[in-house]
Amino acid sequence: EMDRKNQMITDFAQNWTHQNNNSTAGVRTVYVLDQGRLNDELMEWNARLLGFNTSDRNHVYTDAKLQITNRRKKKNNDYTFTIAQNCAEKVPANSTDCLRNSFSRDGMHPCVNTVGPRLAAAVACQLQCAFDGEKEWELSWSCSQDCNERFMNSTNLILA
């Protein structure tokens, strides 16, 4: 489901057309920073390190959840996070806590010290594509996709 939604966003961005060709005002190009791919690859990599079977095409390792009580109590609900995305050690499903990994403490936000530089580099790369006035749209979109290929995956990622 999430992959389908991400593809819809990418298709929207790629098919965006500037409505007023006689003006420099308005949004001329839309780029996509594909953080979903990076998150998925990091979770799968961590799941493998924890000993989960990651070869199953149904991604069964995402079913093992960590039960965390909502400490803010603004809403009366609990959060469930995937052990493979949050933990640095394998714990039984529905455990209430674990030693956290170094790429996401809460399963939503990347750790600035480990993943932050990659995100900053990806944004800088996308901005370079956007503000290179010499490139035609097709080349700038290709440039944007190259940024995602270079930075928004787990290739050459070193986590301490």
Side-chain angles (χ1 to χ4, degrees):
E1 176 68 16
M2 188 61 73
D3 289 339
R4 186 180 65 77
K5 289 179 181 179
N6 286 342
Q7 188 58 51
M8 286 173 56
I9 292 168
T10 300
D11 291 346
F12 172 84
Q14 191 171 14
N15 293 318
W16 176 264
T17 55
H18 185 247
Q19 298 302 313
N20 189 352
N21 292 330
N22 297 330
S23 171
T24 58
V27 178
R28 300 189 71 70
T29 306
V30 177
Y31 296 122
V32 174
L33 187 66
D34 190 5
Q35 191 171 345
R37 176 179 168 190
L38 177 62
N39 292 342
D40 289 348
E41 288 184 16
L42 288 174
M43 183 167 60
E44 183 175 348
W45 176 73
N46 195 54
R48 241 186 339 273
L49 291 176
L50 295 178
F52 286 99
N53 177 8
T54 59
S55 62
D56 185 342
R57 295 187 65 72
N58 293 325
H59 304 295
V60 176
Y61 59 89
T62 63
D63 294 339
K65 305 289 184 185
L66 186 67
Q67 186 71 30
I68 301 196
T69 303
N70 182 354
R71 292 183 179 93
R72 294 188 188 137
K73 297 294 182 191
K74 289 182 180 178
K75 295 180 181 177
N76 191 20
N77 63 345
D78 290 339
Y79 301 114
T80 55
F81 296 124
T82 304
I83 292 171
Q85 190 167 19
N86 290 62
C87 300
E89 61 187 1
K90 192 171 184 179
V91 295
N94 297 318
S95 294
T96 57
D97 206 1
C98 66
L99 177 66
R100 300 306 168 98
N101 64 38
S102 64
F103 67 86
S104 179
R105 301 285 185 210
D106 63 6
M108 287 185 264
H109 303 95
C111 291
V112 176
N113 292 342
T114 53
V115 183
R118 182 165 287 249
L119 295 174
V123 169
C125 185
Q126 294 271 355
L127 288 171
Q128 186 176 15
C129 296
F131 289 104
D132 185 354
E134 301 298 316
K135 292 184 180 174
E136 294 295 322
W137 180 87
E138 292 84 7
L139 292 175
S140 68
W141 179 258
S142 176
C143 176
S144 170
Q145 293 302 99
D146 288 345
C147 293
N148 282 319
E149 287 299 316
R150 287 175 57 200
F151 299 108
M152 301 312 292
N153 60 62
S154 59
T155 304
N156 300 321
L157 185 64
I158 300 170
L159 297 175

